[in-house]
Amino acid sequence: MVEKKKTTTKKTETKKKDTKKVAPVKQEIKKQAPVKTGPSEKPRIGVFICHCGTNIAGSIDIKDLEAYAKTIPNVAHTDNYQYVCSTPGQKKITDAIRDQKLTGTVVAACSPRLHEPTFRTATKEGGLNQFRFEMANIREQNAWVHMHDKEGATDKAKDTIRIAVAKASLLEDLTPKTVPVEKAAMVVGAGIAGMQAALDLAAAGIKTYLIESAPSIGGRMSQLDKTFPTLDCSQCILTPKMVDVGRDSNIELYTYSEVDAVEGYIGNFDVTIRKKARGVLTMAEAEARGIIGGGCNGCGDCDPVCPVVKPNVFEMGMKPRKAIYINHPQVVPLLYTIDFDSCVKCGLCVTACGPERKAIDLEAKDEFIKVKVGTAILATGFELFPIEKKTEWGYKKFENVITGLEFERLICASGPTSGHLVRPSDGETPKRIAFLLCAGSRDNTGVGKPYCSRFCCMYSLKHAHQIYEKIPGAQTYIFYMDIRSFGKAYEEFYYRIQDEGTKFVRGRVANILEDPKSKNLHVYADDTLLDRPMDLEVDLVVLASAVQPSEDTNRTRKLFGVSCSMDGWLLEAHPKLNPCGTTTAGVFLAGVCQGPKDIPDTVASAEGAASAASIPIHKGEVELEPYFATCIEEKCAGCGMCVNLCPYSALALVDKDGRTVMEVTEAKCKGCGTCGGFCPGGAIWMNHFATPQIVAQIDAFLLGGEQ
Amino acid sequence: MVRTKGYPAALDQKLQDTRLHNDDSNPEFTKNVKAISRTTAHMCYQCGTCTGSCPSAPRSTYRIRKFMRRAVLGLENEALTDPDLWLCTTCYSCSDRCPRDIIPTDVIMAMRNLAFKRDIIPVNFLKTVQSIYKTGHGVPNNDVNRAAREKIGLSRDPPTTHMYPEYIPGIQKILDHYNLKANSDRIVKEREG
């Protein structure tokens, strides 16, 4: 309906080239088809040049530029100001629109990412449609990069303004489209980030689907023993939250599940959840099958009878588990899982479970569940970089070289050794322990990771402390390049650890060799402060391995249309001012999936993401930029080639008045222009980036202002 | 240098100001080292992996990390006049492990090139040049070697310029092109008479 009306107006426009000037359209009218207006008899464009302090004025001759702007065709008014984005600067725009009867505005200033919304608002307040505004970027793409060439920069700014005026002369009134928002959210990943985000959303009254690929929630934090710098027990502060997540009536928890498919857009995401075959029924599932009072109650009767033994991934493979298992005693939900990759289907567990509970179903299959959500948060977390790739440190080659996460399990009271730190080679208590920081981080060789993993300094300090807590007479060494103790009370913690006796060696370890008899390790490094190479014999080496995005991050992010940076971390909308948002409207990031974070930062990021994700839901509707493609139906031949080209599945062929034509689902269209550029019949009109507008810009550039 | 009144020369030398001053740094040196070595010497963050890997360091005063630091700061005189510059065995262990992906060995080679331009070079290096010019080998074959080769069933001389001396003029042409022989002869003569 909307498209049809618009295409008709488009037709009118092409026929009657000059209609009279259009009165400003009131933006409050929603859902109304945008009124497409042709260029008025004579476009009257106002050009406003911003000094941006000395950011622009320092490398561009503003006077010369304004004098030139006056000579550009269609320019009816020019002005310059120190900061056009300030209140007086904006007032210059609104006043000029009224007084000079402008039909469009051009602001020559910074990047549209920074102030386009500001100047659109000013244009709207002056009485014009906000899409009658065009920005000429003379700061980021000019003044800043040509700061040593004032003349060249000024010439380039003239081109930029001339091009912007050409486009502004042809801009049309457009109306943002509003779509309703489903009052539900999804959180992918139930580590501390995902749990916190889900709890916040649930507390705000939003139905939240929490999806976790592991059999239980808690993520990496549940594997940790103590947390820095306060040294409180990780499980003790985490389990209450885990229990809350399990209990909250607004949270629908899907463990051992993955996101399988995502369709739709902000406000209306249709998500398919794949519940992996678990082979064990919850009490509710059992009741649904008519087994009253049945289902898994976590009694564990199945565990001892199972004949299959596998390494427990939660314990970093240092403890066995059965084919039917729970990861640790405090799991939420308390529900067993069958690992069907190793289960031999002997049926002993079914017998042990008994005819009353009947919780085990060895023929279980994956289930697919469809839910609709308004917004989604990705909290897919991290895993350790496979540090054995840095062969010089001998991980997986020398038994007594372990990672920080293995250390956490070995020092944890609920871990495989009940909290007794031992050497993997002989079970002896180590007395001399070396910690290697930046193991695989800050590495530009292409093998490791170029970034700082951010929390390894602090957890290694904490590890050193835990050694002195448990092993009297031990000596710890921390090999470091820089100690990054940036957080609240972190530097004080560093002071405390040094006071406890840890020797800090400023040098990166070159290599490690093993004494084949004693299995002791020789650590070779340069004590750069002493300027002396060293060969240090120790009993145990702990590598503070770099972190990387968790295995499934890339698949999941693609489903939600989220970009990632070169190193795989998910890309935020703005690194400083929008760290939780993404470039896909309605999808947000929480925790380490966006970049390495310690627990306080992760929780803060999760709360930020939850807050951001709840805004569209509470608002009830969202405004979409009207940059979508529209079909000029009388030109469309119905060939359908655009349909397959569209990366957002926004186009479809429909029958209208006996003809096959293309139809755009506006809410799905991102205005990328792929279809518009391709259409052999020129039948696709890209709002705000229409062919005549772009051609006018190219002409303005190439012809240097001649018509 | 201004003599401090009343101090003997040796003490005066000992007490001189060793602080780093602005004019100790030559930014051109950093650029030249980068251009010749074709590696990013200025990116060193002084972790010490190079010295920790160095087989020369534990048994000498040679500190590859120190030369990297001099490359960063442009300490031309300090780098080129340090006799340790010539203690690198060019085993490339540091280059294998450098986390910044720098090739410290090539930085040393670049510095040696720059030093040679100022006639700073140990005589034994020049004698190697002379030997290559004469025989095509830095370490020519000798009778002990020949006997050993024969014992394990090899020819007395290897299939190099030793077996094919007709290729020696080609090698000489290359060395002459860079004036290497002439310069070596000149410096050796200056030092040894």
Side-chain angles (χ1 to χ4, degrees):
Chain A
M1 178 65 202
V2 176
E3 288 92 340
K4 201 178 171 189
K5 196 160 183 185
K6 275 171 57 184
T7 36
T8 18
T9 28
K10 175 80 202 100
K11 198 175 76 187
T12 342
E13 183 208 316
T14 29
K15 273 184 186 163
K16 300 188 264 169
K17 190 111 191 155
D18 300 325
T19 49
K20 59 176 166 173
K21 213 163 82 198
V22 177
V25 176
K26 277 247 170 179
Q27 282 310 300
E28 284 69 31
I29 313 164
K30 278 174 188 159
K31 306 249 158 83
Q32 192 204 339
V35 185
K36 209 167 253 180
T37 47
S40 60
E41 218 161 333
K42 178 90 179 86
R44 293 176 58 80
I45 309 298
V47 177
F48 304 87
I49 301 167
C50 182
H51 300 210
C52 196
T54 54
N55 274 309
I56 293 170
S59 27
I60 287 175
D61 185 340
I62 303 281
K63 254 190 185 168
D64 185 21
L65 190 60
E66 194 183 346
Y68 172 79
K70 284 185 196 299
T71 68
I72 302 172
N74 296 341
V75 171
H77 174 79
T78 63
D79 205 348
N80 71 80
Y81 193 63
Q82 197 146 24
Y83 294 102
V84 181
C85 59
S86 66
T87 312
Q90 291 186 55
K91 196 167 176 296
K92 279 176 179 289
I93 300 175
T94 51
D95 288 352
I97 292 172
R98 286 199 197 97
D99 302 343
Q100 306 288 330
K101 306 223 174 327
L102 300 179
T103 63
T105 53
V106 168
V107 177
C110 49
S111 147
R113 291 228 20 189
L114 200 61
H115 272 309
E116 190 176 63
T118 314
F119 299 130
R120 276 195 177 159
T121 309
T123 304
K124 191 168 148 185
E125 278 171 5
L128 279 179
N129 180 287
Q130 77 247 43
F131 294 98
R132 293 289 193 121
F133 160 74
E134 180 68 13
M135 196 139 187
N137 182 349
I138 59 167
R139 191 178 75 160
E140 284 85 343
Q141 291 169 358
N142 191 340
W144 281 357
V145 286
H146 305 301
M147 53 173 73
H148 302 298
D149 178 11
K150 194 161 182 170
E151 203 180 317
T154 309
D155 281 348
K156 184 174 169 182
K158 289 175 183 174
D159 287 345
T160 313
I161 291 182
R162 190 172 68 244
I163 293 164
V165 170
K167 184 170 179 189
S169 305
L170 293 177
L171 284 175
E172 306 166 311
D173 290 358
L174 295 171
T175 311
K177 192 180 169 62
T178 55
V179 290
V181 176
E182 182 74 23
K183 200 176 158 62
M186 172 169 287
V187 179
V188 185
I192 180 60
M195 282 164 48
Q196 185 64 51
L199 284 170
D200 282 13
L201 287 166
I206 295 163
K207 164 95 180 170
T208 305
Y209 301 94
L210 180 57
I211 317 295
E212 170 58 51
S213 61
S216 57
I217 62 172
R220 292 288 169 207
M221 188 175 166
S222 63
Q223 289 179 287
L224 309 182
D225 181 41
K226 287 184 175 181
T227 55
F228 59 81
T230 47
L231 297 173
D232 32 17
C233 143
S234 187
Q235 283 281 11
C236 310
I237 56 177
L238 187 69
T239 32
K241 278 197 193 287
M242 285 162 53
V243 172
D244 286 349
V245 168
R247 263 196 212 134
D248 200 306
S249 56
N250 269 339
I251 297 178
E252 203 171 311
L253 181 60
Y254 287 90
T255 51
Y256 211 51
S257 303
E258 296 169 348
V259 176
D260 190 64
V262 181
E263 279 183 31
Y265 45 88
I266 179 169
N268 300 277
F269 290 109
D270 292 302
V271 185
T272 309
I273 303 164
R274 183 164 76 96
K275 269 184 83 177
K276 291 183 273 188
R278 183 168 207 152
V280 178
L281 302 177
T282 64
M283 291 185 191
E285 282 166 345
E287 207 170 306
R289 291 196 187 185
I291 313 161
I292 308 300
C296 180
N297 60 7
C299 68
D301 288 350
C302 50
D303 188 311
V305 300
C306 178
V308 181
V309 177
K310 283 276 156 184
N312 183 336
V313 178
F314 181 84
E315 302 288 2
M316 307 307 288
M318 295 184 293
K319 200 177 176 180
R321 68 152 166 81
K322 298 297 184 67
I324 185 162
Y325 67 100
I326 54 171
N327 272 335
H328 58 97
Q330 289 155 298
V331 289
V332 173
L334 181 51
L335 180 65
Y336 274 75
T337 304
I338 297 175
D339 168 12
F340 279 110
D341 288 340
S342 51
C343 172
V344 292
K345 300 205 177 177
C346 63
L348 286 170
C349 54
V350 180
T351 317
C353 191
E356 271 147 45
R357 282 171 296 193
K358 265 190 171 171
I360 296 169
D361 173 9
L362 291 178
E363 301 309 318
K365 293 270 174 294
D366 289 4
E367 284 174 55
F368 294 89
I369 296 145
K370 280 197 167 188
V371 298
K372 197 177 181 86
V373 296
T375 54
I377 295 175
L378 303 186
T380 48
F382 71 94
E383 62 186 24
L384 290 191
F385 163 73
I387 195 62
E388 62 273 20
K389 286 189 181 174
K390 297 295 287 182
T391 50
E392 56 263 45
W393 297 317
Y395 180 63
K396 287 199 175 165
K397 195 163 67 182
F398 306 143
E399 287 172 81
N400 294 327
V401 177
I402 62 172
T403 65
L405 210 47
E406 285 167 346
F407 183 93
E408 291 287 348
R409 294 317 299 156
L410 286 174
I411 202 91
C412 180
S414 66
T417 56
S418 304
H420 298 288
L421 180 68
V422 293
R423 296 192 341 147
S425 69
D426 51 14
E428 291 294 317
T429 304
K431 289 282 184 185
R432 299 164 299 179
I433 302 104
F435 295 93
L436 269 59
L437 301 189
C438 300
S441 305
R442 305 176 68 193
D443 179 311
N444 300 80
T445 59
V447 179
K449 303 290 177 185
Y451 47 82
C452 164
S453 294
R454 247 172 134 251
F455 43 79
C456 341
C457 281
M458 291 309 295
Y459 78 59
S460 295
L461 293 177
K462 183 207 67 177
H463 288 170
H465 165 82
Q466 286 176 294
I467 298 232
Y468 290 117
E469 232 176 22
K470 294 205 169 176
I471 309 172
Q475 179 60 56
T476 56
Y477 302 89
I478 292 184
F479 288 86
Y480 73 102
M481 289 194 274
D482 305 282
I483 295 287
R484 297 187 168 171
S485 51
F486 54 91
K488 187 172 179 179
Y490 287 9
E491 186 63 24
E492 293 88 330
F493 190 67
Y494 176 19
Y495 184 94
R496 174 179 173 182
I497 303 311
Q498 188 168 4
D499 191 35
E500 282 173 353
T502 296
K503 299 293 173 219
F504 288 83
V505 183
R506 203 231 163 249
R508 187 174 168 278
V509 171
N511 64 320
I512 293 171
L513 292 178
E514 185 189 57
D515 179 336
K517 267 192 202 147
S518 65
K519 302 280 179 189
N520 286 348
L521 300 156
H522 287 262
V523 178
Y524 296 93
D526 176 18
D527 185 329
T528 60
L529 302 180
L530 204 59
D531 192 17
R532 198 166 153 192
M534 63 196 292
D535 165 3
L536 192 76
E537 188 177 350
V538 295
D539 307 323
L540 184 72
V541 166
V542 185
L543 302 175
S545 171
V547 296
Q548 63 184 25
S550 64
E551 199 190 342
D552 209 27
T553 304
N554 203 38
R555 189 190 67 87
T556 311
R557 72 146 184 103
K558 281 184 183 164
L559 292 175
F560 284 94
V562 172
S563 318
C564 66
S565 48
M566 232 160 59
D567 39 37
W569 301 112
L570 301 188
L571 203 62
E572 63 289 320
H574 189 285
K576 298 178 194 77
L577 303 178
N578 196 355
C580 295
T582 68
T583 44
T584 303
V587 182
F588 303 89
L589 306 176
V592 180
C593 68
Q594 182 256 345
K597 284 177 196 64
D598 56 6
I599 296 169
D601 285 2
T602 295
V603 172
S605 140
E607 299 207 284
S611 158
S614 69
I615 292 169
I617 292 173
H618 285 314
K619 220 171 151 191
E621 57 179 26
V622 285
E623 223 173 57
L624 303 179
E625 296 242 67
Y627 294 166
F628 28 79
T630 56
C631 177
I632 306 167
E633 285 171 10
E634 53 268 41
K635 282 191 183 177
C636 177
C639 70
M641 298 186 89
C642 53
V643 175
N644 296 326
L645 283 173
C646 177
Y648 305 101
S649 321
L651 313 181
L653 288 181
V654 290
D655 282 326
K656 248 182 210 173
D657 309 326
R659 287 181 64 220
T660 303
V661 291
M662 187 272 278
E663 189 177 69
V664 184
T665 305
E666 292 179 351
K668 281 188 181 178
C669 175
K670 301 260 189 286
C672 69
T674 308
C675 58
F678 180 78
C679 179
I684 296 173
W685 179 268
M686 299 303 306
N687 278 344
H688 210 66
F689 296 94
T691 308
Q693 294 165 353
I694 292 170
V695 169
Q697 286 180 288
I698 297 170
D699 280 350
F701 176 57
L702 296 178
L703 302 176
E706 294 166 34
Q707 293 299 303
Chain B
M1 195 177 56
V2 187
R3 287 288 304 269
T4 318
K5 210 173 157 190
Y7 279 15
L11 184 60
D12 202 50
Q13 177 77 21
K14 205 174 166 185
L15 295 180
Q16 71 171 308
D17 182 2
T18 55
R19 282 177 295 194
L20 184 69
H21 294 282
N22 307 39
D23 53 9
D24 291 332
S25 284
N26 176 10
E28 288 305 309
F29 180 62
T30 308
K31 281 184 203 160
N32 290 341
V33 168
K34 201 182 157 191
I36 298 170
S37 65
R38 299 194 182 184
T39 186
T40 49
H42 66 292
M43 291 307 297
C44 174
Y45 60 14
Q46 293 286 299
C47 66
T49 303
C50 45
T51 302
S53 305
C54 181
S56 183
R59 288 163 193 87
S60 72
T61 50
Y62 172 58
R63 299 288 180 265
I64 169 74
R65 181 176 60 82
K66 228 177 193 172
F67 283 97
M68 297 303 290
R69 187 72 189 142
R70 289 159 175 165
V72 170
L73 293 175
L75 302 181
E76 183 172 12
N77 281 334
E78 196 179 314
L80 301 189
T81 57
D82 186 343
D84 288 353
L85 179 60
W86 305 91
L87 293 180
C88 171
T89 64
T90 66
C91 74
Y92 282 92
S93 294
C94 52
S95 309
D96 264 2
R97 292 183 186 145
C98 173
R100 278 267 157 117
D101 215 18
I102 307 168
I103 308 172
T105 316
D106 289 353
V107 173
I108 291 296
M109 300 304 275
M111 288 182 180
R112 286 180 180 176
N113 270 292
L114 291 168
F116 184 55
K117 281 187 182 171
R118 287 166 52 170
D119 287 359
I120 305 171
I121 185 166
V123 167
N124 57 322
F125 277 73
L126 301 173
K127 293 202 165 157
T128 306
V129 172
Q130 289 170 334
S131 169
I132 293 172
Y133 195 87
K134 205 169 133 195
T135 67
H137 280 263
V139 183
N141 212 2
N142 55 38
D143 285 340
V144 178
N145 239 330
R146 287 191 189 101
R149 287 180 62 87
E150 252 180 343
K151 209 172 163 188
I152 55 171
L154 293 169
S155 58
R156 279 174 66 79
D157 280 314
T160 61
T161 44
H162 282 324
M163 209 182 265
Y164 307 102
E166 62 268 34
Y167 289 102
I168 290 178
I171 291 169
Q172 291 175 339
K173 207 172 168 185
I174 296 170
L175 293 178
D176 283 336
H177 179 79
Y178 293 104
N179 279 331
L180 207 52
K181 175 66 170 24
N183 277 326
S184 299
D185 289 350
R186 175 178 57 77
I187 299 168
V188 171
K189 203 176 168 202
E190 278 167 19
R191 302 233 183 117
E192 296 187 342

